[in-house]
Amino acid sequence: MFAHSINYAIYIGRYDLIDAIIKNIVTSMEKDRDEYKNADSATINMIKEAFVYPSTYLANFLLEKIGFRNPSTEELAHYGTGDQGPGVYKQLIEKWNDSYAEVEDCYWDELCEYHLNRIAVAGHGWEKEELCYYDLIPMELMNVFKVREKLGLDAPVIKHELFNTIMATPPVVPTGYNADLDVKLQMVEWTIKHEKVYTQAEIVQQLAEEHGEGADLFF
């Protein structure tokens, strides 16, 4: 679950969100330890056999490269059965300090096909899906290139059809999103703050009064 959040934060350049994500990871880890410290052996074995997706390893690797440390990284090595570790992304990590121009096109094709084949469309839930339906955007690969560019390293030109689609278009950064102009978010916050249920129209009117009639509200 957190890998999706990490990928998105890197993708849109919101490194400030990563601190909040890491705090949530710590809270989740502490909760898991409390729940399973008295678990029986069968439950413990089930936990240890939980599969860790290759894209999760890649996301954590990229976090470290931009100066963050995911506290759960060290624990990943203790989970999973079968092919553990970065899997299909292994070469990306092993050749990180080398020129990616030397990596053969067939490997980039393999990564693109892996991405397309791992997108879940059946709606099984995040715990059973490596890439969700909104992951048509190849964020994990685009983030590799984004981080390499940030560090002054080269990135290849991928010839696979996936990177010839609008899905592989880099996002506009900054996004222009402003939480103060998010109508639904403000509805929630005003309801909590004033202990009163507000309609969308009321919030729109309130935001217009605060920020002007021409404010670019987010719905």
Side-chain angles (χ1 to χ4, degrees), residues 119-146:
I119 297 174
V121 294
H124 296 302
W126 63 264
E127 71 278 5
K128 296 181 181 179
E129 301 173 344
E130 181 169 8
L131 300 174
C132 295
Y133 61 89
Y134 51 76
D135 282 320
L136 282 170
I137 299 172
M139 280 190 285
E140 77 283 4
L141 297 178
M142 295 179 72
N143 285 347
V144 168
F145 308 144
K146 180 184 288 286

Side-chain angles (χ1 to χ4, degrees), residues 22-158:
I22 289 176
K23 288 179 181 178
N24 285 337
I25 290 173
V26 171
T27 299
S28 179
M29 289 172 60
E30 292 174 348
K31 180 180 178 181
D32 287 345
R33 290 194 185 101
D34 289 339
E35 289 182 356
Y36 296 120
K37 63 183 178 182
N38 297 318
D40 56 36
S41 58
T43 301
I44 292 175
N45 288 333
M46 179 185 70
I47 297 170
K48 288 184 176 180
E49 291 177 358
F51 190 79
V52 178
Y53 291 116
S55 56
T56 299
Y57 284 89
L58 180 63
N60 283 311
F61 174 79
L62 294 178
L63 268 189
E64 294 177 358
K65 291 302 177 182
I66 57 177
F68 292 88
R69 179 184 173 277
N70 183 342
S72 69
T73 299
E74 296 177 0
E75 298 193 8
L76 293 179
H78 303 297
Y79 293 84
T81 56
D83 293 331
Q84 298 186 49
V88 70
Y89 305 111
K90 184 178 181 181
Q91 189 175 164
L92 288 182
I93 294 174
E94 290 182 342
K95 295 183 178 295
W96 183 261
N97 294 319
D98 301 328
S99 172
Y100 271 14
E102 300 176 0
V103 178
E104 296 181 356
D105 289 343
C106 61
Y107 178 59
W108 299 115
D109 289 344
E110 179 184 355
L111 292 178
C112 290
E113 290 297 325
Y114 180 84
H115 173 91
L116 292 171
N117 290 328
R118 299 299 293 179
I119 297 174
V121 294
H124 296 302
W126 63 264
E127 71 278 5
K128 296 181 181 179
E129 301 173 344
E130 181 169 8
L131 300 174
C132 295
Y133 61 89
Y134 51 76
D135 282 320
L136 282 170
I137 299 172
M139 280 190 285
E140 77 283 4
L141 297 178
M142 295 179 72
N143 285 347
V144 168
F145 308 144
K146 180 184 288 286
V147 173
R148 286 182 67 83
E149 181 180 1
K150 180 179 177 65
L151 299 177
L153 299 171
D154 70 332
V157 175
I158 297 183

